[in-house]
Amino acid sequence: MSTPLLYGRRARGQLGAVLDARPPRPLAAGDQRLPVTWPLVVLFVAFPLWWVLGVGAFTWIIVAIPMLASLIWLRRARVPVAFVLWLAFISWVLLSGLQLESGTKIITFSYRLALYAAAGVLFVYTYNLPRGKVLDAKILRILTIFWMIVVVGGYAGILVGAHTFTPLIDELLPGSLRHQEFVQELVQPVFAEVQGFLGFPIPRPAAPFRYSNYWGGNMAVLTPVAIAAVIAAGRGARRKLIIAVLIASVVPMVFSLNRGMFISLSIGILYVALRLAMRGRLAAFGSLLGIAALVAVILVATPLGHLIAASFSSTHGHSNSTRLSVSQQAIAGARQSPIFGYGEPQAAPGQTGLPPIGTQGQLWMVLYSNGIPAVVFFIGFFLAVLWQTRRAHGMAGLWLHTVPLVALPQIGVYGWLPVELQVVMVAVALSYRYCWQPAARPGPGTPASARAVARVPALADARSARAVRSRSP
């Protein structure tokens, strides 16, 4: 079920939500010089450029502005009913800002709020692009290119290690901002975090993100996208290239030592295997088991397996106890301020060397900063999306539908800002679009459950469905 967002001119010429019987202006290529997928290309394909310049953490907010303008120009955009939960989440985050007193906290709060809003705009924009398999393939291709960028960044981290460089934006910032820890966290490029908790130094890949955990979180949610791209590519050089990169991605994934990445991705693979078994897709189920067995053999036959075993048996430099302490303090803080939280993460009183309360995981950030209702809205949105897209057509649609399931187990250990949330939002919007695609005609032996068609409402009216296909990115 989807809900229209209608925009029109009030009597005094102000923009507001009003009923408007006129048909929407579709996001079609004929109305503009740039292809409709240009924001996705700028955000994902050009991301290495923004990372080198030091502005990668801000591009999501900047590009959201013209996307929002396009949606307003559309005059009528549709969203799934689940999006109401996201609007409620953003509204609650905004209200929690009333708890802030420090000027610095207001700046960091505004930045995170803008990222949440930008993610919502990115979702609605992708959701409302003209309907068609060709355009869906373009969106999937853009995300796949970004996944390849992350894999290349992983290898760069292994080879370069802890070396870094000064980005251009650092030279342009005033001295009062340049040396602030929060600003450096946003602008300073990092190739890898070299850590020795296994008894010897290991370059844990981070590029093109700030932390290795960010790299692992994004890698986990992008891997189902890459598998969907393999399925959608058919036979040819593109399919072979993606498969080759999938195999190559195992090396930086192991070097990252991200247990949360392996656990969350395993949950997604197990879910897909169960869905295939329930559908009676024994051939696809056997192929998935064969791939898993191949990866296991590679790990056992190479030193990579020893790294994984050491990662799960190690204390990760007391990261477990640190996360436990911070999460316990976040829960205690939420009990004292359960409705609106504290607006922002805060330093632990009387304890030095510990991360601020409300960090070390997206769950603790939302819980401590914005209150229990915000957590309900945040998790509720992705659970609702997971339910509504459960009948996405084809194997590619099934893997895209799995993305929020892979992401949700990470919220207790990984942060989603600034990049992973945006990736999940685009993948989720694409999984909705796969619900609209006509299902292939079932064979005589296909179970009745596999012949069910998702009852997801149309993107817009018939005019939007007949919109001109956009040019390739």
Side-chain angles (χ1 to χ4, degrees), residues 158 198 200 202 250-257 262 295-312:
I158 296 173
L198 297 183
F200 50 90
I202 292 291
V250 175
V251 174
M253 290 174 73
V254 172
F255 267 84
S256 72
L257 303 177
F262 287 112
V295 173
V297 169
I298 293 175
L299 294 177
V300 171
T302 64
L304 297 177
H306 298 290
L307 283 179
I308 292 183
S311 173
F312 278 90

Short mmCIF file of all heavy atoms in Angstrom, two decimals, residues 158 198 200 202 250-257 262 295-312:
data_model
loop_
_atom_site.label_atom_id
_atom_site.label_comp_id
_atom_site.label_asym_id
_atom_site.label_seq_id
_atom_site.Cartn_x
_atom_site.Cartn_y
_atom_site.Cartn_z
N ILE A 158 44.63 -2.66 2.99
CA ILE A 158 45.60 -3.72 3.29
C ILE A 158 47.00 -3.32 2.83
O ILE A 158 48.00 -3.56 3.53
CB ILE A 158 45.16 -5.04 2.63
CG1 ILE A 158 43.83 -5.51 3.22
CG2 ILE A 158 46.23 -6.11 2.79
CD1 ILE A 158 43.24 -6.71 2.50
N LEU A 198 45.59 -9.23 17.98
CA LEU A 198 45.83 -10.65 17.75
C LEU A 198 47.27 -11.05 18.07
O LEU A 198 47.65 -12.20 17.90
CB LEU A 198 45.52 -11.02 16.29
CG LEU A 198 44.07 -10.85 15.83
CD1 LEU A 198 43.91 -11.32 14.40
CD2 LEU A 198 43.11 -11.60 16.75
N PHE A 200 49.85 -9.42 16.62
CA PHE A 200 50.65 -8.89 15.52
C PHE A 200 49.79 -7.85 14.79
O PHE A 200 48.56 -7.91 14.82
CB PHE A 200 51.07 -10.01 14.55
CG PHE A 200 49.94 -10.90 14.11
CD1 PHE A 200 49.19 -10.60 12.98
CD2 PHE A 200 49.60 -12.04 14.85
CE1 PHE A 200 48.15 -11.41 12.58
CE2 PHE A 200 48.56 -12.85 14.44
CZ PHE A 200 47.83 -12.54 13.31
N ILE A 202 47.58 -5.90 12.26
CA ILE A 202 46.68 -6.25 11.17
C ILE A 202 46.10 -4.96 10.60
O ILE A 202 45.48 -4.17 11.33
CB ILE A 202 45.54 -7.15 11.65
CG1 ILE A 202 46.06 -8.51 12.06
CG2 ILE A 202 44.49 -7.32 10.54
CD1 ILE A 202 46.56 -9.35 10.92
N VAL A 250 36.52 -11.53 -0.58
CA VAL A 250 36.70 -12.34 0.62
C VAL A 250 37.95 -11.92 1.39
O VAL A 250 37.97 -11.89 2.63
CB VAL A 250 36.76 -13.84 0.25
CG1 VAL A 250 37.07 -14.69 1.48
CG2 VAL A 250 35.45 -14.28 -0.37
N VAL A 251 39.01 -11.56 0.66
CA VAL A 251 40.28 -11.23 1.31
C VAL A 251 40.15 -9.99 2.22
O VAL A 251 40.46 -10.07 3.41
CB VAL A 251 41.39 -11.03 0.26
CG1 VAL A 251 42.68 -10.55 0.92
CG2 VAL A 251 41.63 -12.33 -0.50
N PRO A 252 39.70 -8.82 1.72
CA PRO A 252 39.56 -7.68 2.64
C PRO A 252 38.50 -7.90 3.71
O PRO A 252 38.61 -7.36 4.81
CB PRO A 252 39.20 -6.51 1.72
CG PRO A 252 38.66 -7.13 0.48
CD PRO A 252 39.39 -8.43 0.33
N MET A 253 37.49 -8.71 3.42
CA MET A 253 36.49 -8.99 4.45
C MET A 253 37.12 -9.73 5.62
O MET A 253 36.83 -9.44 6.78
CB MET A 253 35.34 -9.81 3.85
CG MET A 253 34.45 -9.02 2.89
SD MET A 253 33.20 -10.05 2.06
CE MET A 253 32.05 -10.32 3.40
N VAL A 254 38.00 -10.68 5.33
CA VAL A 254 38.68 -11.42 6.39
C VAL A 254 39.64 -10.50 7.14
O VAL A 254 39.71 -10.51 8.38
CB VAL A 254 39.41 -12.63 5.82
CG1 VAL A 254 40.27 -13.30 6.89
CG2 VAL A 254 38.42 -13.64 5.24
N PHE A 255 40.39 -9.67 6.41
CA PHE A 255 41.34 -8.77 7.05
C PHE A 255 40.63 -7.74 7.93
O PHE A 255 41.22 -7.22 8.88
CB PHE A 255 42.18 -8.03 5.99
CG PHE A 255 43.47 -8.71 5.66
CD1 PHE A 255 43.50 -9.75 4.73
CD2 PHE A 255 44.64 -8.34 6.27
CE1 PHE A 255 44.68 -10.40 4.42
CE2 PHE A 255 45.84 -8.98 5.98
CZ PHE A 255 45.86 -10.01 5.04
N SER A 256 39.38 -7.43 7.64
CA SER A 256 38.67 -6.44 8.44
C SER A 256 38.39 -6.94 9.85
O SER A 256 38.20 -6.14 10.78
CB SER A 256 37.35 -6.06 7.76
OG SER A 256 36.40 -7.11 7.85
N LEU A 257 38.32 -8.27 10.02
CA LEU A 257 38.06 -8.87 11.34
C LEU A 257 36.75 -8.36 11.94
O LEU A 257 36.60 -8.29 13.16
CB LEU A 257 39.21 -8.59 12.31
CG LEU A 257 40.60 -9.07 11.85
CD1 LEU A 257 41.65 -8.67 12.88
CD2 LEU A 257 40.61 -10.58 11.63
N PHE A 262 30.30 -10.51 9.49
CA PHE A 262 30.11 -11.92 9.18
C PHE A 262 28.79 -12.45 9.76
O PHE A 262 28.08 -13.21 9.10
CB PHE A 262 31.28 -12.74 9.74
CG PHE A 262 32.56 -12.57 8.97
CD1 PHE A 262 33.64 -11.93 9.53
CD2 PHE A 262 32.66 -13.03 7.67
CE1 PHE A 262 34.82 -11.77 8.83
CE2 PHE A 262 33.84 -12.89 6.96
CZ PHE A 262 34.92 -12.24 7.54
N VAL A 295 33.48 -21.06 -0.46
CA VAL A 295 34.10 -20.03 0.37
C VAL A 295 34.74 -20.67 1.60
O VAL A 295 35.85 -20.31 2.01
CB VAL A 295 33.06 -18.97 0.78
CG1 VAL A 295 33.66 -17.99 1.79
CG2 VAL A 295 32.56 -18.22 -0.44
N ALA A 296 34.05 -21.66 2.20
CA ALA A 296 34.60 -22.33 3.38
C ALA A 296 35.90 -23.06 3.04
O ALA A 296 36.87 -23.02 3.80
CB ALA A 296 33.58 -23.32 3.94
N VAL A 297 35.95 -23.69 1.87
CA VAL A 297 37.17 -24.39 1.46
C VAL A 297 38.31 -23.40 1.27
O VAL A 297 39.46 -23.65 1.67
CB VAL A 297 36.91 -25.18 0.16
CG1 VAL A 297 38.23 -25.69 -0.43
CG2 VAL A 297 35.97 -26.34 0.43
N ILE A 298 38.02 -22.24 0.65
CA ILE A 298 39.05 -21.22 0.44
C ILE A 298 39.62 -20.76 1.78
O ILE A 298 40.83 -20.60 1.95
CB ILE A 298 38.48 -20.04 -0.36
CG1 ILE A 298 38.13 -20.49 -1.78
CG2 ILE A 298 39.46 -18.87 -0.39
CD1 ILE A 298 37.44 -19.42 -2.60
N LEU A 299 38.73 -20.56 2.74
CA LEU A 299 39.18 -20.08 4.04
C LEU A 299 40.00 -21.13 4.78
O LEU A 299 41.01 -20.82 5.42
CB LEU A 299 37.97 -19.66 4.88
CG LEU A 299 37.17 -18.46 4.36
CD1 LEU A 299 35.97 -18.21 5.26
CD2 LEU A 299 38.05 -17.23 4.29
N VAL A 300 39.59 -22.38 4.68
CA VAL A 300 40.30 -23.43 5.38
C VAL A 300 41.66 -23.69 4.75
O VAL A 300 42.66 -23.96 5.43
CB VAL A 300 39.46 -24.73 5.40
CG1 VAL A 300 40.28 -25.90 5.94
CG2 VAL A 300 38.21 -24.53 6.25
N ALA A 301 41.72 -23.59 3.43
CA ALA A 301 42.96 -23.92 2.71
C ALA A 301 43.96 -22.78 2.69
O ALA A 301 45.06 -22.94 2.18
CB ALA A 301 42.62 -24.34 1.28
N THR A 302 43.61 -21.61 3.20
CA THR A 302 44.50 -20.45 3.19
C THR A 302 44.65 -19.90 4.61
O THR A 302 43.86 -20.24 5.50
CB THR A 302 43.95 -19.34 2.27
OG1 THR A 302 42.70 -18.87 2.81
CG2 THR A 302 43.72 -19.86 0.85
N PRO A 303 45.63 -19.02 4.82
CA PRO A 303 45.77 -18.40 6.15
C PRO A 303 44.60 -17.53 6.56
O PRO A 303 44.51 -17.13 7.73
CB PRO A 303 47.05 -17.57 6.00
CG PRO A 303 47.80 -18.19 4.87
CD PRO A 303 46.75 -18.70 3.93
N LEU A 304 43.70 -17.23 5.63
CA LEU A 304 42.56 -16.37 5.97
C LEU A 304 41.69 -17.01 7.05
O LEU A 304 41.10 -16.32 7.89
CB LEU A 304 41.72 -16.10 4.72
CG LEU A 304 42.42 -15.33 3.58
CD1 LEU A 304 41.49 -15.21 2.39
CD2 LEU A 304 42.86 -13.95 4.07
N GLY A 305 41.60 -18.34 7.01
CA GLY A 305 40.79 -19.02 8.02
C GLY A 305 41.32 -18.81 9.42
O GLY A 305 40.54 -18.69 10.38
N HIS A 306 42.65 -18.75 9.57
CA HIS A 306 43.23 -18.52 10.89
C HIS A 306 42.90 -17.12 11.41
O HIS A 306 42.69 -16.92 12.61
CB HIS A 306 44.75 -18.72 10.83
CG HIS A 306 45.15 -20.10 10.44
ND1 HIS A 306 44.99 -21.20 11.27
CD2 HIS A 306 45.71 -20.59 9.30
CE1 HIS A 306 45.42 -22.29 10.66
NE2 HIS A 306 45.87 -21.95 9.47
N LEU A 307 42.83 -16.15 10.48
CA LEU A 307 42.47 -14.79 10.89
C LEU A 307 41.04 -14.74 11.41
O LEU A 307 40.75 -14.09 12.42
CB LEU A 307 42.64 -13.83 9.71
CG LEU A 307 44.06 -13.40 9.36
CD1 LEU A 307 44.04 -12.47 8.16
CD2 LEU A 307 44.72 -12.72 10.54
N ILE A 308 40.13 -15.43 10.73
CA ILE A 308 38.73 -15.43 11.17
C ILE A 308 38.61 -16.12 12.53
O ILE A 308 37.94 -15.62 13.45
CB ILE A 308 37.84 -16.15 10.14
CG1 ILE A 308 37.76 -15.32 8.86
CG2 ILE A 308 36.44 -16.38 10.70
CD1 ILE A 308 36.85 -15.92 7.81
N ALA A 309 39.28 -17.26 12.70
CA ALA A 309 39.22 -17.97 13.98
C ALA A 309 39.79 -17.11 15.10
O ALA A 309 39.23 -17.03 16.20
CB ALA A 309 39.99 -19.29 13.88
N ALA A 310 40.90 -16.42 14.81
CA ALA A 310 41.50 -15.55 15.82
C ALA A 310 40.60 -14.37 16.14
O ALA A 310 40.53 -13.91 17.28
CB ALA A 310 42.87 -15.06 15.34
N SER A 311 39.88 -13.87 15.11
CA SER A 311 39.00 -12.73 15.33
C SER A 311 37.87 -13.08 16.30
O SER A 311 37.55 -12.31 17.21
CB SER A 311 38.42 -12.26 13.99
OG SER A 311 37.44 -11.27 14.19
N PHE A 312 37.26 -14.25 16.12
CA PHE A 312 36.14 -14.62 16.97
C PHE A 312 36.58 -15.07 18.36
O PHE A 312 35.80 -15.01 19.31
CB PHE A 312 35.32 -15.73 16.30
CG PHE A 312 34.35 -15.21 15.29
CD1 PHE A 312 34.72 -15.09 13.95
CD2 PHE A 312 33.07 -14.84 15.64
CE1 PHE A 312 33.84 -14.60 13.02
CE2 PHE A 312 32.16 -14.36 14.71
CZ PHE A 312 32.55 -14.24 13.38
#
